[in-house]
């Protein structure tokens, strides 16, 4: 199921200008990778490629908060690298239950809530008592959270999305930071400049065909992660909540994978005025989604223009060409499909309330259902037609267009072979699209192909 490089080993041609590295070099060990991460800038994000702990120094106190489904061998090298900088490091482990194979219902279980998240944290939430421990014990740095946003805190706070040693030693972690920054800035630029007021057309060979307007109202400066600065590694091609009354997303979104469940039979979501009105197919995932549609049909959330939960807001574009699907994604501890969504050109679609938004607090106070669910697009084509009728291709057949931009390639050449640094190491193998066979067979039972 994986293309070149998917076995987790490094290829020196992709090593980001580090010279003639080979297996066995210190830079390619877990300790070497951890030391590299410690040496990167901190930006308070959970996006792989931008996380670093470089401000840590002698006398600092660091708290690492993980759960029992992390592979401990992936955490120890980070702790050791921080200790090597003169810090003291404590590690706390939260028990979230036994590991097991995925089911089609796990995305629902980790993302949908009807109560305060502090009482029942979601998979990508911070654990309240871990955050409180960092505050009351005056730690200088808290290393915690797998995904989602990083809250504002008086101390430094960075994420730890590397769930396994395979994640930690992945070649992507040694990617040149300035190159990744340039890719993000160049890919984001059309959305907040000439694209404002234009039309987006998003398609995918699994069946997605969606259009919507990049309404100027979404760029009013009040929406977190939607302005001139990229939302690093997670470029939002649609405005986040609150959704405007003039929202006009129309069409269908289809796929067979999400963040955190077993691959499911193809689901087809139909959208009208930005809201999911029907969910067809999808196996157990689709059944659960239809139940939630019924439960939320008459609820008027403060962030949406009409009753109903499943409004589109998240059209998130991955930006890292060297992200690779892990070898085994069959169990909860692997993270499933959540890691690969970071790969350049992969789009994940999110429908529902914004993570940590005011609307979620409103729903929790009233014991009403909230959260958002995903569908992944592995081979998307996304274009913007500007108000002046210029057509800009952002993604073509799953490839982020700026990877072929002359400025990006010139900067990549400063670190090594541009083709190596800007070519995707992995592409999902789907019958009828990127592999031999019929898509209809895959769509009916994708788990057989993904895990088989």
């Amino acid at each position: 199921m994986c293309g070149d490089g998917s076995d987790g080993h490094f290829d020196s041609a992709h090593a980001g200008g580090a010279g003639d590295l080979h297996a066995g070099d210190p830079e390619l060990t877990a300790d070497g990778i951890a030391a590299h991460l410690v040496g990167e800038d901190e930006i308070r994000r959970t996006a792989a490629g931008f996380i670093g702990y470089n401000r840590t120094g002698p006398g600092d106190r660091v708290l690492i908060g993980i759960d029992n489904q992390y592979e401990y061998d992936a955490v120890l090298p980070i702790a050791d690298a921080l200790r090597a900088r003169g810090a003291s490091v404590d590690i706390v482990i939260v028990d979230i239950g036994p590991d097991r194979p995925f089911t089609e219902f796990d995305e629902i279980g980790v993302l949908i809530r009807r109560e305060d998240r502090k009482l029942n944290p979601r998979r990508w939430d911070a654990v309240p008592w871990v955050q409180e421990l960092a505050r009351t014990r005056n730690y200088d740095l808290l290393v915690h959270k797998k995904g989602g946003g990083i809250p504002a805190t008086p101390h430094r706070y960075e994420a730890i999305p590397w769930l396994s040693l395979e994640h930690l030693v992945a070649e992507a972690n040694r990617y040149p930071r300035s190159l990744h920054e340039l890719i993000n800035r160049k890919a984001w630029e059309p959305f907040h400049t000439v694209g404002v007021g234009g039309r987006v057309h998003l398609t995918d060979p699994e069946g997605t065909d969606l259009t919507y307007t990049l309404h100027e109202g979404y760029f009013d400066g009040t929406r977190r992660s939607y302005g001139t600065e990229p939302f690093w590694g997670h470029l939002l091609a649609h405005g986040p909540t609150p959704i405007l009354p003039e929202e006009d997303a129309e069409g269908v979104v289809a796929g067979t994978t999400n963040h955190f469940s077993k691959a499911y039979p193809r689901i087809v979501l139909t959208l009208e005025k930005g809201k999911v009105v029907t969910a067809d197919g999808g196996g157990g995932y689709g059944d659960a989604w239809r139940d939630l549609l019924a439960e939320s049909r008459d609820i008027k959330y403060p962030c949406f223009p009409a009753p109903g939960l499943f409004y589109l807001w998240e059209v998130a574009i991955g930006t890292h060409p060297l992200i690779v699907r892990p070898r085994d994604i069959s169990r909860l501890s692997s993270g499933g499909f959540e890691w690969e969504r970071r790969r350049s050109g992969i789009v994940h679609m999110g429908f529902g309330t914004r993570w940590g938004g005011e609307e979620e607090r409103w729903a929790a106070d009233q014991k009403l259902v909230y959260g958002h669910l995903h569908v992944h697009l592995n081979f998307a084509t996304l274009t913007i037609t500007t108000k002046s009728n210029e057509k800009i291709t952002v993604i073509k057949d799953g490839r982020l267009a700026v990877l072929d931009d002359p400025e990006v390639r010139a900067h990549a050449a400063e670190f090594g072979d541009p083709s190596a640094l800007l070519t995707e190491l992995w592409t999902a193998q789907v019958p009828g699209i990127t592999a031999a066979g019929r898509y209809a067979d895959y769509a009916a039972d994708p788990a057989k192909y993904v895990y088989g």
Side-chain angles (χ1 to χ4, degrees), residues 79-390:
D80 289 342
L82 292 167
R83 291 181 181 121
R85 295 174 72 93
S88 63
V89 181
D90 296 325
I91 302 174
V92 294
I93 302 175
V94 180
D95 190 340
I96 60 171
D99 195 13
R100 59 167 172 78
F102 278 108
T103 73
E104 292 179 3
F105 300 97
D106 285 315
E107 173 110 340
I108 305 288
V110 299
L111 286 172
I112 298 299
R113 292 291 182 269
R114 296 168 184 81
E115 69 282 327
D116 191 326
R117 295 158 53 200
K118 293 181 181 179
L119 302 176
N120 185 12
R122 296 178 293 193
R123 174 172 174 81
W124 296 274
D125 275 328
V127 177
W129 69 260
V130 173
Q131 293 191 139
E132 184 66 8
L133 181 64
R135 185 186 69 81
T136 58
R137 298 296 181 90
N138 296 314
Y139 282 94
D140 299 289
L141 170 65
L142 172 61
V143 178
H144 188 44
K145 288 184 104 270
K146 300 171 179 174
I150 296 292
T153 56
H155 51 260
R156 292 158 49 223
Y157 192 151
E158 288 294 321
I160 181 166
W162 304 282
L163 309 183
S164 68
L165 193 59
E166 184 178 3
H167 283 165
L168 185 66
V169 302
E171 189 169 344
N173 293 323
R174 300 187 65 258
Y175 204 69
R177 176 68 63 88
S178 62
L179 177 58
H180 200 187
E181 287 182 352
L182 181 61
I183 290 168
N184 277 257
R185 291 191 185 281
K186 296 278 288 188
W188 175 239
E189 185 176 4
F191 290 98
H192 71 89
T193 56
V194 296
V196 176
R199 293 283 290 172
V200 170
H201 187 200
L202 178 62
T203 60
D204 182 273
E206 292 199 67
T208 294
D209 193 339
L210 185 73
T211 57
Y212 57 88
T213 301
L214 284 173
H215 291 292
E216 294 184 22
Y218 286 124
F219 297 89
D220 63 1
T222 65
R223 288 165 174 78
R224 186 183 68 191
S225 70
Y226 214 63
T228 57
E229 189 83 350
F231 196 45
W232 302 103
H234 186 283
L235 304 181
L236 285 175
H238 187 284
T241 63
I243 298 302
L244 298 171
E246 60 267 33
E247 175 58 47
D248 59 359
E250 300 273 343
V252 297
V253 173
T256 55
T257 58
N258 54 28
H259 281 15
F260 197 70
S261 79
K262 182 180 180 180
Y264 48 85
R266 179 174 175 264
I267 196 169
V268 180
L269 308 174
T270 300
L271 280 74
E272 296 177 1
K273 297 182 179 180
K275 183 173 69 174
V276 175
V277 293
T278 62
D280 297 314
Y285 186 47
D287 291 339
W289 202 322
R290 285 183 284 276
D291 289 343
L292 292 168
L293 279 169
E295 179 182 354
S296 62
R297 181 170 292 120
D298 298 323
I299 300 174
K300 175 61 176 71
Y301 296 84
C303 61
F304 298 141
L309 172 59
F310 292 108
Y311 272 84
L312 170 70
W313 68 269
E314 189 176 32
V315 182
I317 303 170
T319 63
H320 201 316
L322 302 192
I323 290 290
V324 168
R325 175 183 287 177
R327 286 170 291 185
D328 183 359
I329 55 170
S330 63
R331 300 180 71 83
L332 299 180
S333 59
S334 71
F337 302 105
E338 66 185 10
W339 182 258
E340 69 191 58
R341 80 190 195 276
R342 299 168 168 91
R343 204 217 72 184
S344 53
I346 289 180
V347 178
H348 67 265
M349 314 288 288
F351 308 85
T353 52
R354 179 170 54 84
W355 192 271
E358 293 181 5
E359 62 266 25
E360 295 200 335
R361 290 187 286 274
W362 174 87
D365 287 344
Q366 302 186 64
K367 303 289 193 291
L368 296 173
V369 63
Y370 68 92
H372 68 269
L373 300 177
H374 303 101
V375 174
H376 287 195
L377 311 183
N378 288 309
F379 317 105
T381 294
L382 189 151
T383 61
I384 304 171
T385 301
T386 70
K387 290 189 294 185
S388 62
N389 212 34
E390 176 190 2

